[in-house]
Amino acid sequence: MELHHEFTVPLPVDDAWQALLDIEGVAPCLPGAVVEDYDGTTVTGSVKVKVGPVTVTYRGTAVFEEQDASAHRMVLVASGRETRGQGTARATVTGTLSEHDDGGTAVSVHTELTVTGRPAQFGRGVLAEVGDRLASQFAACLADRLTTLPEPTAEEPAALTDEQPQPLDLLRTAGVPVAKRAALAVAALAALAYAARRLLRRGRKGRTCQHR
């Protein structure tokens, strides 16, 4: 599926470009994301996604295939696999920055996303709405961090923390109406599975009676 999002940050284009390339700095604005290593090109880490009562953890890498500072354009290819399952996720993210009328920076993000496994059950509509809300939350978080956090100095380095972030809750992020639709879909699937099991049991009992 293809998703497109736009937001603004209160920084000139060149400053916003450098800020968005600071993966460790922007990671706290990405729900469920943990950055384990970053060498300037490749990011290694994990993302936790909560689907109802189930939490899914994807581990993988993201590679900057393009970083054009003059055009303020970046292409990031990310792929991951469930740590306890067969589900996969792959995304090609193209971000373009341009000057905004208010002196800030307009950020345009185009994502080509492929998801298999449990999160895929919600379909494009729910995932698109989740993406919209996450883009808004990310923009607000990033703007707040860029305008309120002081720059670390040699005497006072930025503090590190081992605290694990909360997983990305798809149902909560999607909002109540979408969550209800998703819950109904899950309930319908559960009901179908239950009915199928009962029919299978009846079939087995029928065959047992015939043998008698």
Side-chain angles (χ1 to χ4, degrees):
M1 70 184 70
E2 295 189 6
L3 306 172
H4 186 76
H5 303 98
E6 295 184 347
F7 58 89
T8 60
V9 291
L11 284 177
V13 174
D14 290 336
D15 293 341
W17 172 260
Q18 293 300 324
L20 289 174
L21 289 180
D22 177 14
I23 299 299
E24 292 93 338
V26 302
C29 291
L30 298 172
V34 175
V35 175
E36 298 172 357
D37 185 60
Y38 177 50
D39 61 8
T41 301
T42 302
V43 185
T44 302
S46 63
V47 176
K48 288 185 178 181
V49 179
K50 186 177 181 182
V51 184
V54 179
T55 298
V56 180
T57 300
Y58 293 93
R59 288 185 56 84
T61 60
V63 180
F64 279 102
E65 291 197 343
E66 181 181 336
Q67 293 184 25
D68 189 337
S70 60
H72 298 116
R73 182 178 186 272
M74 64 181 73
V75 178
L76 183 71
V77 178
S79 61
R81 179 177 294 275
E82 288 184 31
T83 57
R84 297 182 179 179
Q86 299 300 315
T88 62
R90 179 177 174 84
T92 299
V93 183
T94 302
T96 306
L97 282 62
S98 60
E99 294 184 1
H100 195 265
D101 295 338
D102 61 3
T105 297
V107 182
S108 175
V109 181
H110 179 78
T111 305
E112 296 179 11
L113 176 65
T114 303
V115 180
T116 66
R118 283 163 287 188
Q121 68 184 313
F122 297 116
R124 186 188 186 285
V126 173
L127 293 180
E129 186 155 350
V130 169
D132 290 340
R133 291 175 179 266
L134 286 178
S136 298
Q137 293 175 15
F138 175 79
C141 174
L142 185 62
D144 182 64
R145 290 180 66 86
L146 294 177
T147 55
T148 61
L149 289 183
E151 292 292 330
T153 64
E155 294 76 15
E156 298 180 356
L160 299 178
T161 177
D162 293 327
E163 182 180 355
Q164 294 296 311
Q166 292 298 310
L168 166 59
D169 191 327
L170 287 185
L171 295 185
R172 179 175 296 180
T173 303
V176 175
V178 176
K180 286 182 177 179
R181 294 201 300 271
L184 288 174
V186 173
L189 290 174
L192 287 174
Y194 177 74
R197 286 197 299 269
R198 288 185 62 86
L199 288 174
L200 182 60
R201 289 173 181 172
R202 288 179 181 177
R204 289 175 178 172
K205 289 181 178 179
R207 289 194 297 272
T208 302
C209 292
Q210 290 176 1
H211 287 311
R212 291 179 180 175

